[in-house]
Amino acid sequence: DLTVDLRNLVVAELKKLGVTATIDNDRNILSDTLNFIKGKFTANCILVDIHWNAFNGKASGTEVIIPKTPSLKEQKTAKALLNCLVSFGFKNRGVKTEDKTARKTLGWMRPIGQNILIEVCFMDNKEDMDLYFKNKSTIAKKLAEVLKNEL
């Protein structure tokens, strides 16, 4: 629900900026989503997957995940998105390549395009979530601005 809500806010902001976003079905599993996007996008498109971390209620912060061998554009876009979220007060957990994550390999990192996975914050951390809800609309607006600028 958090992901769909933020995605919808970002998409609405992108629309205001004249950017058309394509979204998948909210009930898709990863393989459905990967099939949905297959062949629809070019290397210049930004494919964003929004996630929320959870661990022990004490871990906090935001991070952005990119492919194991990212393009310069993916690195730049990821840093810009991370800096955007950090500007709201989230702890900076960095830009990480997929091989530095617990899963080591992420299916999301394979489609054609700039592949970016945003871990907004820790949904089991009260301070992170308070910060998120306090700034949710502005976060969506600023993320949309970053995405437009990185196209």
Side-chain angles (χ1 to χ4, degrees), residues 20-57:
T20 302
T22 301
I23 59 173
D24 70 335
N25 184 316
D26 295 338
R27 290 176 172 54
N28 279 356
I29 59 172
L30 178 61
S31 60
D32 293 336
T33 297
L34 294 176
N35 284 330
F36 170 79
I37 63 179
K38 192 173 188 175
K40 282 190 169 89
F41 303 101
T42 68
N44 293 325
C45 294
I46 303 172
L47 285 74
V48 178
D49 197 11
I50 299 172
H51 283 240
W52 301 82
N53 261 328
F55 182 60
N56 62 4

Side-chain angles (χ1 to χ4, degrees), residues 78-149:
K79 286 178 187 172
L81 290 165
L82 179 69
N83 290 338
C84 172
L85 289 165
V86 167
S87 75
F88 288 94
F90 295 106
K91 176 183 170 186
N92 185 338
R93 296 175 57 88
V95 172
K96 299 177 182 173
T97 54
E98 66 180 309
D99 58 315
K100 304 292 189 240
T101 68
R103 297 187 191 268
K104 305 295 181 206
T105 301
L106 302 172
W108 182 258
M109 300 296 152
R110 304 297 165 261
I112 294 173
Q114 295 179 61
N115 298 294
I116 308 285
L117 188 149
I118 301 171
E119 294 282 5
V120 177
C121 65
F122 281 78
M123 65 183 180
D124 62 345
N125 181 294
K126 183 181 180 340
E127 290 81 20
D128 270 12
M129 292 309 295
D130 287 348
L131 189 59
Y132 171 72
F133 284 120
K134 176 183 173 188
N135 296 290
K136 178 172 74 166
S137 295
T138 309
I139 287 170
K141 180 179 181 177
K142 295 299 181 185
L143 287 173
E145 289 171 2
V146 169
L147 291 168
K148 182 181 188 321
N149 290 337

Side-chain angles (χ1 to χ4, degrees), residues 54-83:
F55 182 60
N56 62 4
K58 295 181 176 127
S60 65
T62 186
E63 60 193 6
V64 179
I65 313 300
I66 53 180
K68 181 179 179 179
T69 310
S71 69
L72 291 175
K73 188 70 172 158
E74 283 166 325
Q75 292 175 48
K76 183 178 179 285
T77 301
K79 286 178 187 172
L81 290 165
L82 179 69
N83 290 338

